[in-house]
Amino acid sequence: MIQILKHFGWTWTGLIISDNEYGVHAARSFHSDLGPAGGGCLAYTEILPWGDDPAELRRIVDVMRKSTARVVIVFANKSRMINLMKEVVRQNVTGLQWIASEGWTSAAVLQTPHLMPYLGGTLGISIRRGEIPGLRDFLLQILPDPHHNNTDGSSMVNQFWEHTFQCRFAPPPAGWVEAGGQLCTGQEVIENVENELVDVSDLRSEYNVYKAVYALAYALDDMLQCEPGRGPFNNNTCAHLQRLEPWQLVYYLEKVNFTTTFGDQVSFDENGDALPIYDIINWVWLPDGRTKVQRVGEVKRSAFKGEELTLDEDKIFWNFESKQPPQSVCSESCPPGTRMATKKGEPECCFDCVPCSEGKISNTTDSMECTSCPEDFWSSPQRDHCVPKKTEFLSYHEPLGICLTSISLLGTLICVLVLGIFIHHHSTPIVRANNSELSFLLLVSLKLCFLCSLLFIGRPRLWTCQLRHAAFGISFVLCVSCILVKTMVVLAVFRASKPGGESSLKWFGAVQQRGTVLVLTSIQAAICTAWLVSASPVPHKNTQYHNDKIVYECVVGSTVGFAVLLGYIGLLAVLSCLLAFLAKNLPDSFNEAKHITFSMLIFCAVWVAFVPAYISSPGKYADAVEVFAILASSFGLLVALFGPKCYIILLRPERNTKKAIMGRCTTK
């Protein structure tokens, strides 16, 4: 029965039993086997009263009517079932699917037009129907003994014959012939008579007896094959038919294993129980009002496959308008994406469906728990499968990345153009007056600053993470070193123009300028090398910013190393700014101190604002802030230092003469 419930998904059923060992044992089995492990629950368990108790029957049927369970299992005999059905009819309780025990599954007294509107479609368990070869022929060969003295009534065959053909064997009772009665001859044709005693189409209990007799025969045959001295009992003895002990016969019965001509296997398990096999019966209510009981499947257990259910669902008659199996559940199944949450104080079959939380899924129906997605995956909107997390980094394909890349390339192009202009006009006074070699080196370093920002765009790799900060640090130190040396040269030239200051220029010749720039840049290179060797930046998949995204970023490795790199750039920038500020009142014709002061103020302002913006920006926006700081400070230096010179070279060439420069100086 539990196999049938599982097959149709009936997890919420009612159980009605008789108040005897038959019913109590069934209830105990259902409560243990139909629990959480069996996947079902009992909505109620009611005990049928002895005799006709209208009040108790009324209460039981009222429970059935109010319950949401649409499947009712009844373990009782037909007399108890008749009393129950009277009350069911009285209260007109329809729409139930009945499951019958063997005690009433074949009860013809319940298969009436009056009860079939309620019991139609009943599924029941019945003893296996089988065939006994030759039984009908044997029964038909049995003939009565006409010469038997019928007065003692000892001949069962003669009595059967007289009852079937409504005749009497001689000598007949007094007055039988006179009343028109027939005398039996013993030659009547019994083949054409319909009688349950010769009907072998529905052999059930008889088939069990047949199998039991054959099991005993096989056991005895096996026992008789025993060879003396090689027997299974004490001292290798055999059992003797004349002195047979019951336990010796049981030994051979336990080993019986044969198949009947009907195809059924007969054997016994470790407890001595025969392997069960049952037919599944369905009550069909025909349109003309007649009732038909048909076999629609079987349940059997084998030694190797366990219990197996076979059903021909196309043959089953369902007594419902839909002509489909009913649903009998306390709660509807939870779809994928949800989990079952048992209601407090309710059976296990009564539950709520709770959606899985973010990052968890359930991909099966009636899942007890939601499982977490792997680290690189996230739950779908339906929470029924895991999908790869979206990846986030400053990409060349998104608008922000495209914009920053374009600005970087534009800055590089401008540097190249300015460098070309300075090279083409290298012999003009304004280029020569502003230390052309340092100007060329400064333009090259600015071009590197613009290009190094491209290393911050795109998916982080190990080499880009290691190279981006090193290239950024060295390029900016080279740039700021050139500016610092230019500022120092301006101060030295101005001091040399005063009486007694000629000696100061010898410390700022071309070799000293190159050496100073090289030493200052080498210090930054050493800082970067130590940083990369001790705690190199590495790419990292960050899942903390967003649950459904993987943010690819570069972990700086050593915060101290990154701080020293930025601090060294800041130190040189502040030093350049202070020296340029001290030289800001010198004549414009001899120096560019004001331009350097302005450019350094822009540079320092950008990087001071960078620190809090960088710390507070998550993921790719931290890279975008750093790229913006690089580009803004580079453009600030480029425009402040080379903008006025390009203006004079290209638009005011008349001022690009030694006379004009010296004239301005004289005027001032």
Side-chain angles (χ1 to χ4, degrees):
M1 284 186 175
I2 292 177
Q3 291 291 328
I4 295 175
L5 298 181
K6 288 182 178 180
H7 179 82
F8 291 108
W10 295 332
T11 59
W12 188 237
T13 58
L15 178 64
I16 298 177
I17 61 173
S18 56
D19 188 14
N20 52 27
E21 187 63 26
Y22 178 64
V24 172
H25 176 72
R28 189 181 301 116
S29 299
F30 266 94
H31 278 284
S32 61
D33 298 340
L34 200 64
C41 304
L42 291 175
Y44 55 85
T45 301
E46 297 293 337
I47 301 176
L48 292 174
W50 286 95
D52 189 8
D53 187 346
E56 180 63 11
L57 290 172
R58 190 180 307 113
R59 187 194 64 80
I60 293 174
V61 175
D62 191 56
V63 170
M64 296 167 52
R65 180 174 55 83
K66 293 179 179 179
S67 174
T68 56
R70 309 319 302 160
V71 175
V72 181
I73 306 168
V74 181
F75 270 87
N77 55 37
K78 60 183 178 181
S79 62
R80 302 282 185 88
M81 192 63 190
I82 291 172
N83 293 332
L84 175 65
M85 289 311 299
K86 289 179 181 179
E87 184 61 28
V88 169
V89 173
R90 194 189 71 81
Q91 295 192 27
N92 194 28
V93 180
T94 58
L96 296 179
Q97 175 64 48
W98 296 84
I99 305 294
S101 67
E102 187 273 335
W104 63 278
T105 190
S106 301
V109 69
L110 293 170
Q111 300 166 13
T112 63
H114 180 60
L115 296 180
M116 283 306 289
Y118 305 91
L119 291 176
T122 294
L123 290 174
I125 303 297
S126 177
I127 296 174
R128 172 72 160 179
R129 186 197 70 83
E131 293 180 359
I132 302 177
L135 177 60
R136 178 174 172 79
D137 294 337
F138 170 78
L139 293 174
L140 294 177
Q141 291 174 2
I142 298 176
L143 296 176
D145 183 5
H147 306 291
H148 187 276
N149 185 4
N150 197 40
T151 57
D152 58 2
S154 60
S155 175
M156 184 182 70
V157 176
N158 285 17
Q159 292 180 22
F160 164 72
W161 208 267
E162 290 179 343
H163 173 75
T164 302
F165 294 102
Q166 294 298 305
C167 61
R168 292 292 183 270
F169 285 99
W176 174 261
V177 177
E178 289 78 2
Q182 300 291 325
L183 292 177
C184 298
T185 64
Q187 302 301 317
E188 288 83 1
V189 180
I190 198 173
E191 293 185 14
N192 301 327
V193 176
E194 293 185 5
N195 190 293
E196 60 180 8
L197 296 178
V198 294
D199 182 11
V200 295
S201 62
D202 191 36
L203 301 178
R204 298 187 182 275
S205 300
E206 300 87 349
Y207 183 56
N208 272 356
V209 174
Y210 167 78
K211 292 190 292 184
V213 171
Y214 262 86
L216 184 60
Y218 273 101
L220 290 173
D221 181 68
D222 192 18
M223 184 186 71
L224 294 175
Q225 301 297 326
C226 179
E227 298 179 7
R230 302 179 65 179
F233 305 118
N234 191 26
N235 297 324
N236 297 325
T237 59
C238 295
H240 296 281
L241 193 60
Q242 292 77 12
R243 303 187 301 274
L244 181 63
E245 296 289 339
W247 59 269
Q248 293 175 320
L249 181 60
V250 169
Y251 172 83
Y252 287 102
L253 276 174
E254 289 177 346
K255 298 182 178 299
V256 165
N257 191 345
F258 67 96
T259 303
T260 68
T261 56
F262 195 60
D264 293 337
Q265 182 186 11
V266 179
S267 62
F268 300 92
D269 61 16
E270 61 275 6
N271 298 321
D273 297 323
L275 295 180
I277 180 168
Y278 297 98
D279 286 339
I280 299 175
I281 304 300
N282 180 226
W283 291 13
V284 182
W285 189 21
L286 299 174
D288 59 5
R290 292 184 298 112
T291 301
K292 175 184 176 183
V293 177
Q294 62 178 1
R295 177 180 176 274
V296 294
E298 66 179 17
V299 180
K300 64 180 178 180
R301 189 172 75 223
S302 63
F304 304 104
K305 297 182 180 180
E307 201 168 82
E308 289 183 318
L309 170 68
T310 305
L311 273 178
D312 187 356
E313 293 190 39
D314 294 334
K315 293 175 62 178
I316 298 177
F317 169 75
W318 302 105
N319 194 25
F320 304 98
E321 291 184 4
S322 64
K323 302 303 179 184
Q324 297 294 324
Q327 281 197 337
S328 187
V329 294
C330 182
S331 299
E332 294 293 335
S333 295
C334 290
T338 62
R339 65 176 179 85
M340 296 191 299
T342 303
K343 295 180 180 179
K344 188 175 182 179
E346 298 282 345
E348 291 81 0
C349 299
C350 301
F351 48 81
D352 293 321
C353 296
V354 180
C356 294
S357 58
E358 290 188 346
K360 294 185 176 182
I361 65 159
S362 65
N363 54 10
T364 58
T365 302
D366 290 336
S367 177
M368 296 298 296
E369 296 292 338
C370 296
T371 56
S372 298
C373 290
E375 183 180 4
D376 292 347
F377 291 81
W378 194 245
S379 55
S380 64
Q382 296 78 23
R383 307 284 197 274
D384 57 357
H385 67 283
C386 293
V387 295
K389 288 183 178 179
K390 297 179 181 178
T391 57
E392 182 180 275
F393 54 87
L394 189 58
S395 171
Y396 287 106
H397 304 291
E398 62 178 303
L400 181 59
I402 294 172
C403 181
L404 294 176
T405 302
S406 302
I407 295 174
S408 173
L409 295 177
L410 177 62
T412 305
L413 179 61
I414 294 175
C415 288
V416 172
L417 292 177
V418 173
L419 182 61
I421 292 172
F422 269 57
I423 292 174
H424 185 265
H425 297 276
H426 69 281
S427 59
T428 59
I430 197 167
V431 175
R432 296 178 62 186
N434 285 282
N435 200 326
S436 59
E437 183 176 347
L438 283 179
S439 296
F440 293 155
L441 187 57
L442 180 57
L443 284 170
V444 171
S445 65
L446 282 174
K447 184 172 67 173
L448 293 176
C449 290
F450 281 114
L451 290 176
C452 78
S453 64
L454 298 177
L455 294 172
F456 292 83
I457 305 174
R459 182 167 178 170
R461 310 285 183 183
L462 179 61
W463 68 272
T464 58
C465 288
Q466 293 176 337
L467 189 59
R468 60 168 59 172
H469 289 108
F472 152 69
I474 294 174
S475 299
F476 266 89
V477 165
L478 179 60
C479 177
V480 177
S481 298
C482 292
I483 295 173
L484 178 61
V485 172
K486 284 171 70 71
T487 306
M488 295 171 66
V489 169
V490 169
L491 289 173
V493 169
F494 181 72
R495 182 173 295 181
S497 64
K498 293 182 179 182
E502 294 82 0
S503 61
S504 61
L505 276 178
K506 67 179 181 179
W507 299 104
F508 291 95
V511 176
Q512 287 81 2
Q513 294 175 24
R514 298 191 198 103
T516 303
V517 172
L518 179 61
V519 170
L520 294 176
T521 307
S522 298
I523 294 174
Q524 183 72 309
I527 293 173
C528 293
T529 302
W531 181 20
L532 294 177
V533 171
S534 61
S536 174
V538 292
H540 172 64
K541 295 191 297 184
N542 195 320
T543 58
Q544 303 301 316
Y545 294 138
H546 306 283
N547 290 328
D548 58 343
K549 290 182 182 179
I550 299 176
V551 178
Y552 287 95
E553 58 184 9
C554 286
V555 178
V556 295
S558 172
T559 306
V560 175
F562 187 45
V564 171
L565 181 143
L566 291 179
Y568 183 65
I569 297 174
L571 176 65
L572 295 181
V574 170
L575 185 59
S576 298
C577 186
L578 290 175
L579 292 177
F581 182 77
L582 294 176
K584 67 182 179 63
N585 291 323
L586 298 181
D588 288 348
S589 305
F590 286 92
N591 69 87
E592 47 186 338
K594 288 185 179 180
H595 300 152
I596 292 175
T597 303
F598 181 64
S599 66
M600 285 294 99
L601 287 175
I602 295 175
F603 185 88
C604 292
V606 168
W607 287 103
V608 168
F610 157 77
V611 175
Y614 181 82
I615 294 175
S616 61
S617 299
K620 67 177 182 180
Y621 298 104
D623 291 334
V625 166
E626 191 164 357
V627 172
F628 178 80
I630 293 172
L631 296 178
S633 57
S634 299
F635 269 111
L637 295 176
L638 180 62
V639 173
L641 294 176
F642 294 98
K645 300 178 181 64
C646 291
Y647 172 75
I648 293 175
I649 293 173
L650 298 177
L651 301 179
R652 301 296 295 274
E654 70 277 5
R655 294 176 56 182
N656 191 9
T657 62
K658 184 176 181 181
K659 181 179 179 181
I661 295 174
M662 296 305 293
R664 292 179 62 203
C665 178
T666 303
T667 302
K668 290 191 177 184

